[in-house]
Amino acid sequence: MRLLVTGGCGFIGSNFIYHILDAYPDDVVVNLDKLTYAGNLANMQRAENEHGGKRYHFARGDIANFEFVSYLLKEQAIDAVVNFAAESHVDRSIADCSPFLQTNVLGTQNLLEASRRAGIGRFVQVSTDEVYGTLGPEGKFTEDTPLAPNSPYSASKAAADLFVRAYVETYGLPALITRCSNNYGPYQFPEKLIALMYLRASEDQTLPVYGDGKNVRDWIYVADHCRGVDLALRRGRTGAVYNFGGNAELPNIDVVRTILSILGKPESLIRFVADRPGHDRRYAMDYRLAQKELGFEPEYDFTRGIRETVAWYRANGDWLRGVQDGSYLEFMDKWYGGRL
Ligand code: NAD
Ligand code: TYD
């Protein structure tokens, strides 16, 4: 299969491309990435070294650029598109949501339109549990849970999902949607909870925990998510939505304490800071449809996943230092301000 993977220089996209290159010796991957602050060419160095110009091709560009996307789809004889490209951080969407509309909504619609005109055989939209809003103490999100996004980020992802649905219904585009819970693992940008807490704890800096620290996320190791997207790509039904979760519901404070304990750092580094506006209380995924139709099962429990994640960050200090450029420090300073 010849795949166009968008956002392949980001966290999940780069893990996904390695999964494909390692698991399918006949597949070819074209990685379309704009290289925003979250996109890092260094993530794909091994792919370039081992498969560059043969099974792996990089194209810098914007999913919202119709001419360029159309050219790539034709020139590279693409069979299927997997769309990871997005603005992905809730806090940044609260600070300024315009890039979220531009990429997540307009960019996705553009990719759908170019794929439709090129006659693409499979389109996978990588979405999130956050489109369902928030849960109380009981229950889980199913694929039938109504969309009720609470942040500008999740609103933009929900809008994109609705465009995918419209392209299936109106034009018969062979598209489907995957919705996943919170990922963690190698190459995650140190703005999301686990990567940020590792970075700060390892440097003996304070750890900003929003509100009472009891918001719950359902953590999935990134390799499990990538296998799920791959299963949906190869076995999924057109028009379907598939939830993926990690069976690891944890309050944020427990996650932070676990990282401190692995690193042997004191809990006195924790700072409870002003809550995120519109902060969803709890996410949990019912992924029985993906079990039944795709044979999906997460393989990592949280204990194993977090140990491997910390080990990866420890072994990749250069990567972690490399991504903390001026724009990163500027955002951190502006967002957390006096809260740290
Ligand atoms: P990320 O922020 O690490 O990476 C996003 C990538 O997209 C970057 O390489 C960036 O350069 C690229 N990009 C941004 N705008 C682009 C554009 N206009 N054109 C081309 N490339 C562009 O994100 P991530 O955490 O890897 O998330 C990937 C996808 O998975 C997103 O769609 C996100 O909504 C979804 N998702 C993420 C999580 C999570 O926990 N991180 C959970 C569920 C779903
Ligand atoms: P995050 O990694 O931003 O993912 P999302 O908001 O998409 O779930 O945040 C995960 C949880 O951690 C969320 O409940 C917010 C919380 N959080 C903090 O308490 N402090 C922080 O500095 C960050 C970034 C997140």
Side-chain angles (χ1 to χ4, degrees):
M1 196 173 345
R2 297 183 66 87
L3 291 172
L4 180 72
V5 176
T6 69
C9 292
F11 163 46
I12 307 173
S14 51
N15 281 279
F16 181 76
I17 291 176
Y18 284 119
H19 165 79
I20 296 291
L21 291 174
D22 294 343
Y24 302 96
D26 294 332
D27 281 9
V28 172
V29 175
V30 179
N31 174 8
L32 168 62
D33 198 297
K34 188 179 170 183
L35 297 181
T36 68
Y37 79 93
N40 188 348
L41 269 183
N43 296 6
M44 299 317 296
Q45 197 54 57
R46 177 167 75 81
E48 278 292 358
N49 295 345
E50 292 176 7
H51 306 292
K54 296 185 288 266
R55 295 182 53 224
Y56 174 75
H57 305 267
F58 174 68
R60 184 172 191 176
D62 191 331
I63 60 165
N65 180 335
F66 183 79
E67 282 72 30
F68 189 55
V69 172
S70 301
Y71 160 80
L72 273 184
L73 293 175
K74 189 158 178 248
E75 170 74 16
Q76 294 286 345
I78 296 297
D79 302 306
V81 174
V82 185
N83 183 26
F84 289 95
E87 290 292 334
S88 68
H89 189 35
V90 172
D91 293 336
R92 285 184 189 253
S93 80
I94 294 169
D96 173 14
C97 76
S98 54
F100 290 73
L101 269 94
Q102 182 58 36
T103 287
N104 301 3
V105 186
L106 298 176
T108 299
Q109 186 272 330
N110 185 64
L111 207 51
L112 288 163
E113 181 61 22
S115 299
R116 169 176 95 82
R117 293 204 201 175
I120 291 302
R122 169 58 78 218
F123 186 107
V124 178
Q125 171 68 5
V126 179
S127 186
T128 165
D129 57 359
E130 305 192 24
V131 298
Y132 298 124
T134 188
L135 289 166
E138 303 294 326
K140 294 186 177 195
F141 296 129
T142 73
E143 290 82 356
D144 295 326
T145 303
L147 301 187
N150 292 319
S151 72
Y153 162 68
S154 53
S156 70
K157 293 295 290 187
D161 287 7
L162 293 178
F163 272 102
V164 175
R165 176 190 161 90
Y167 268 74
V168 172
E169 297 296 326
T170 307
Y171 305 110
L173 184 75
L176 59 82
I177 297 167
T178 62
R179 294 189 180 133
C180 189
S181 59
N182 287 63
N183 287 224
Y184 65 107
Y187 299 111
Q188 188 163 34
F189 194 78
E191 62 184 359
K192 310 278 168 44
L193 182 75
I194 287 183
L196 179 68
M197 296 298 147
Y198 167 81
L199 170 65
R200 293 187 65 88
S202 65
E203 295 180 349
D204 298 304
Q205 293 176 313
T206 55
L207 309 184
V209 175
Y210 298 156
D212 63 4
K214 293 188 180 147
N215 299 63
V216 171
R217 298 294 183 261
D218 174 359
W219 293 98
I220 182 169
Y221 192 65
V222 64
D224 283 331
H225 182 197
C226 291
R227 278 190 309 101
V229 172
D230 180 25
L231 288 166
L233 168 70
R234 285 162 214 273
R235 297 186 195 165
R237 254 185 311 115
T238 290
V241 174
Y242 296 104
N243 283 355
F244 299 124
N247 261 338
E249 271 189 65
L250 289 168
N252 294 334
I253 189 66
D254 291 9
V255 172
V256 172
R257 289 198 174 116
T258 303
I259 294 168
L260 286 170
S261 140
I262 295 173
L263 292 177
K265 301 284 183 178
E267 293 194 4
S268 56
L269 289 175
I270 295 171
R271 293 285 179 281
F272 289 96
V273 300
D275 209 352
R276 167 192 281 173
H279 195 177
D280 288 334
R281 191 63 173 167
R282 176 172 164 260
Y283 302 144
M285 286 300 242
D286 178 335
Y287 57 85
R288 282 177 294 177
L289 184 67
Q291 284 178 310
K292 188 165 149 242
E293 290 196 8
L294 307 176
F296 169 76
E297 206 61 63
E299 287 176 0
Y300 284 76
D301 63 21
F302 189 73
T303 308
R304 177 176 165 214
I306 194 72
R307 288 201 172 274
E308 292 200 9
T309 302
V310 168
W312 187 86
Y313 280 110
R314 270 188 166 138
N316 289 275
D318 286 350
W319 183 92
L320 208 43
R321 275 184 289 281
V323 298
Q324 295 172 68
D325 61 6
S327 87
Y328 174 80
L329 298 173
E330 194 186 327
F331 172 75
M332 293 298 290
D333 196 43
K334 213 159 79 187
W335 178 256
Y336 291 97
R339 292 193 285 175
L340 294 175

